Tab-separated table of all heavy atoms in Angstrom:
chain	number	residue	atom	x	y	z
A	94	ILE	N	-18.657	4.311	-5.969
A	94	ILE	CA	-19.749	5.046	-6.573
A	94	ILE	C	-20.452	5.862	-5.496
A	94	ILE	O	-20.688	5.393	-4.397
A	94	ILE	CB	-20.764	4.093	-7.250
A	94	ILE	CG1	-20.067	3.321	-8.437
A	94	ILE	CG2	-21.936	4.859	-7.823
A	94	ILE	CD1	-20.927	2.206	-8.987
A	95	ALA	N	-20.779	7.121	-5.833
A	95	ALA	CA	-21.429	7.974	-4.881
A	95	ALA	C	-22.632	8.709	-5.587
A	95	ALA	O	-22.564	8.970	-6.774
A	95	ALA	CB	-20.455	9.061	-4.302
A	96	VAL	N	-23.652	8.923	-4.765
A	96	VAL	CA	-24.843	9.600	-5.335
A	96	VAL	C	-25.155	10.757	-4.410
A	96	VAL	O	-24.668	10.865	-3.296
A	96	VAL	CB	-26.048	8.616	-5.366
A	96	VAL	CG1	-25.685	7.403	-6.279
A	96	VAL	CG2	-26.440	8.115	-3.986
A	97	PRO	N	-26.061	11.680	-4.849
A	97	PRO	CA	-26.459	12.783	-3.991
A	97	PRO	C	-27.061	12.298	-2.693
A	97	PRO	O	-27.743	11.259	-2.636
A	97	PRO	CB	-27.492	13.525	-4.854
A	97	PRO	CG	-27.084	13.249	-6.267
A	97	PRO	CD	-26.593	11.812	-6.225
A	98	LYS	N	-26.823	13.042	-1.587
A	98	LYS	CA	-27.309	12.570	-0.295
A	98	LYS	C	-28.758	12.455	-0.197
A	98	LYS	O	-29.310	11.555	0.457
A	98	LYS	CB	-26.843	13.634	0.771
A	98	LYS	CG	-25.361	13.677	1.079
A	98	LYS	CD	-25.038	14.752	2.109
A	98	LYS	CE	-23.572	14.875	2.343
A	98	LYS	NZ	-23.232	15.936	3.316
A	100	MET	N	-30.740	11.409	-2.523
A	100	MET	CA	-31.267	10.328	-3.327
A	100	MET	C	-31.530	9.064	-2.450
A	100	MET	O	-30.691	8.672	-1.665
A	100	MET	CB	-30.257	9.985	-4.447
A	100	MET	CG	-30.695	8.757	-5.265
A	100	MET	SD	-29.481	8.458	-6.538
A	100	MET	CE	-30.004	6.788	-7.071
A	107	ASP	N	-30.544	0.616	-8.117
A	107	ASP	CA	-30.974	1.999	-8.192
A	107	ASP	C	-30.145	2.904	-9.149
A	107	ASP	O	-30.454	3.996	-9.406
A	107	ASP	CB	-30.955	2.633	-6.770
A	107	ASP	CG	-32.003	2.021	-5.846
A	107	ASP	OD1	-33.087	1.649	-6.376
A	107	ASP	OD2	-31.747	1.895	-4.647
A	108	LEU	N	-29.054	2.291	-9.606
A	108	LEU	CA	-28.222	2.990	-10.589
A	108	LEU	C	-28.680	2.829	-11.998
A	108	LEU	O	-28.197	3.547	-12.889
A	108	LEU	CB	-26.737	2.488	-10.504
A	108	LEU	CG	-26.065	2.672	-9.155
A	108	LEU	CD1	-24.698	1.956	-9.192
A	108	LEU	CD2	-25.868	4.194	-8.808
A	109	LYS	N	-29.648	1.980	-12.231
A	109	LYS	CA	-30.160	1.714	-13.599
A	109	LYS	C	-30.697	3.000	-14.202
A	109	LYS	O	-31.515	3.761	-13.587
A	109	LYS	CB	-31.244	0.660	-13.572
A	109	LYS	CG	-30.692	-0.742	-13.250
A	109	LYS	CD	-31.833	-1.779	-13.278
A	109	LYS	CE	-31.260	-3.169	-13.030
A	109	LYS	NZ	-32.319	-4.188	-12.996
A	110	GLY	N	-30.276	3.294	-15.406
A	110	GLY	CA	-30.700	4.473	-16.161
A	110	GLY	C	-30.060	5.783	-15.796
A	110	GLY	O	-30.340	6.815	-16.441
A	111	LEU	N	-29.165	5.759	-14.805
A	111	LEU	CA	-28.516	6.996	-14.377
A	111	LEU	C	-27.258	7.250	-15.294
A	111	LEU	O	-26.698	6.357	-15.876
A	111	LEU	CB	-28.045	6.899	-12.903
A	111	LEU	CG	-29.125	6.684	-11.843
A	111	LEU	CD1	-28.528	6.786	-10.468
A	111	LEU	CD2	-30.261	7.712	-12.034
A	112	LYS	N	-26.861	8.522	-15.220
A	112	LYS	CA	-25.637	8.908	-15.899
A	112	LYS	C	-24.581	9.031	-14.835
A	112	LYS	O	-24.728	9.843	-13.884
A	112	LYS	CB	-25.785	10.224	-16.625
A	112	LYS	CG	-24.537	10.700	-17.361
A	112	LYS	CD	-24.651	12.089	-17.951
A	112	LYS	CE	-25.637	12.103	-19.176
A	112	LYS	NZ	-25.605	13.466	-19.799
A	113	ILE	N	-23.488	8.293	-14.975
A	113	ILE	CA	-22.398	8.254	-13.943
A	113	ILE	C	-21.137	8.852	-14.524
A	113	ILE	O	-20.612	8.335	-15.516
A	113	ILE	CB	-22.159	6.846	-13.498
A	113	ILE	CG1	-23.454	6.141	-13.019
A	113	ILE	CG2	-21.105	6.839	-12.345
A	113	ILE	CD1	-23.311	4.685	-12.617
A	114	ALA	N	-20.623	9.894	-13.867
A	114	ALA	CA	-19.377	10.534	-14.308
A	114	ALA	C	-18.159	9.860	-13.657
A	114	ALA	O	-18.203	9.540	-12.453
A	114	ALA	CB	-19.405	11.981	-13.964
A	132	ALA	N	-26.438	1.464	-17.113
A	132	ALA	CA	-26.316	2.892	-16.782
A	132	ALA	C	-25.432	3.529	-17.837
A	132	ALA	O	-24.564	2.879	-18.478
A	132	ALA	CB	-25.749	3.110	-15.410
A	133	GLU	N	-25.561	4.816	-17.999
A	133	GLU	CA	-24.702	5.560	-18.938
A	133	GLU	C	-23.442	6.098	-18.267
A	133	GLU	O	-23.533	6.688	-17.201
A	133	GLU	CB	-25.505	6.793	-19.536
A	133	GLU	CG	-24.726	7.595	-20.519
A	133	GLU	CD	-25.489	8.800	-21.003
A	133	GLU	OE1	-26.719	8.917	-20.778
A	133	GLU	OE2	-24.847	9.678	-21.620
A	135	HIS	N	-20.296	8.523	-18.277
A	135	HIS	CA	-19.834	9.795	-18.871
A	135	HIS	C	-18.418	10.011	-18.385
A	135	HIS	O	-18.147	10.317	-17.232
A	135	HIS	CB	-20.721	10.936	-18.386
A	135	HIS	CG	-20.421	12.235	-19.124
A	135	HIS	ND1	-20.770	12.482	-20.367
A	135	HIS	CD2	-19.853	13.357	-18.646
A	135	HIS	CE1	-20.406	13.675	-20.741
A	135	HIS	NE2	-19.829	14.290	-19.698
A	144	ALA	N	-19.754	16.926	-10.667
A	144	ALA	CA	-20.611	16.635	-11.802
A	144	ALA	C	-22.082	16.585	-11.470
A	144	ALA	O	-22.878	17.181	-12.211
A	144	ALA	CB	-20.193	15.257	-12.450
A	145	PRO	N	-22.505	15.926	-10.362
A	145	PRO	CA	-23.966	15.949	-10.043
A	145	PRO	C	-24.466	17.362	-9.716
A	145	PRO	O	-25.560	17.746	-10.049
A	145	PRO	CB	-24.079	15.040	-8.849
A	145	PRO	CG	-22.919	14.122	-8.947
A	145	PRO	CD	-21.819	14.967	-9.471
A	146	GLY	N	-23.622	18.162	-9.050
A	146	GLY	CA	-24.040	19.519	-8.617
A	146	GLY	C	-24.251	20.479	-9.773
A	146	GLY	O	-25.004	21.408	-9.675
A	148	GLY	N	-25.228	19.349	-12.849
A	148	GLY	CA	-26.186	18.767	-13.745
A	148	GLY	C	-25.516	17.956	-14.888
A	148	GLY	O	-26.152	17.528	-15.841
A	149	LEU	N	-24.215	17.656	-14.716
A	149	LEU	CA	-23.516	16.862	-15.751
A	149	LEU	C	-23.791	15.378	-15.626
A	149	LEU	O	-23.722	14.657	-16.583
A	149	LEU	CB	-21.987	17.127	-15.586
A	149	LEU	CG	-21.088	16.505	-16.714
A	149	LEU	CD1	-21.410	17.095	-18.080
A	149	LEU	CD2	-19.587	16.780	-16.379
A	150	ALA	N	-24.057	14.964	-14.404
A	150	ALA	CA	-24.331	13.499	-14.182
A	150	ALA	C	-25.253	13.340	-12.957
A	150	ALA	O	-25.444	14.257	-12.170
A	150	ALA	CB	-23.010	12.754	-13.933
A	151	ASP	N	-25.748	12.092	-12.820
A	151	ASP	CA	-26.621	11.808	-11.656
A	151	ASP	C	-25.810	11.198	-10.482
A	151	ASP	O	-26.227	11.295	-9.323
A	151	ASP	CB	-27.668	10.776	-12.082
A	151	ASP	CG	-28.513	11.272	-13.261
A	151	ASP	OD1	-29.105	12.299	-13.140
A	151	ASP	OD2	-28.507	10.567	-14.279
A	152	ALA	N	-24.652	10.641	-10.838
A	152	ALA	CA	-23.826	9.992	-9.839
A	152	ALA	C	-22.400	10.069	-10.293
A	152	ALA	O	-22.122	10.432	-11.410
A	152	ALA	CB	-24.252	8.528	-9.602
A	153	ILE	N	-21.448	9.672	-9.408
A	153	ILE	CA	-20.055	9.626	-9.813
A	153	ILE	C	-19.400	8.301	-9.413
A	153	ILE	O	-19.895	7.595	-8.524
A	153	ILE	CB	-19.247	10.756	-9.188
A	153	ILE	CG1	-19.071	10.560	-7.681
A	153	ILE	CG2	-19.860	12.139	-9.525
A	153	ILE	CD1	-18.025	11.475	-7.044
A	154	CYS	N	-18.263	7.999	-10.039
A	154	CYS	CA	-17.389	6.846	-9.625
A	154	CYS	C	-16.027	7.431	-9.515
A	154	CYS	O	-15.431	7.880	-10.564
A	154	CYS	CB	-17.463	5.763	-10.642
A	154	CYS	SG	-16.328	4.326	-10.277
A	168	LEU	N	-22.507	14.471	-1.471
A	168	LEU	CA	-22.587	13.120	-1.996
A	168	LEU	C	-22.446	12.082	-0.884
A	168	LEU	O	-21.871	12.381	0.146
A	168	LEU	CB	-21.576	12.873	-3.058
A	168	LEU	CG	-21.571	13.833	-4.265
A	168	LEU	CD1	-20.370	13.589	-5.094
A	168	LEU	CD2	-22.859	13.597	-5.132
Side-chain angles (χ1 to χ4, degrees):
I94 297 173
V96 300
K98 291 179 184 177
M100 176 180 166
D107 292 326
L108 299 173
K109 289 181 178 179
L111 300 187
K112 181 187 288 187
I113 306 175
E133 180 183 347
H135 189 70
L149 186 62
D151 304 303
I153 69 165
C154 176
L168 301 171

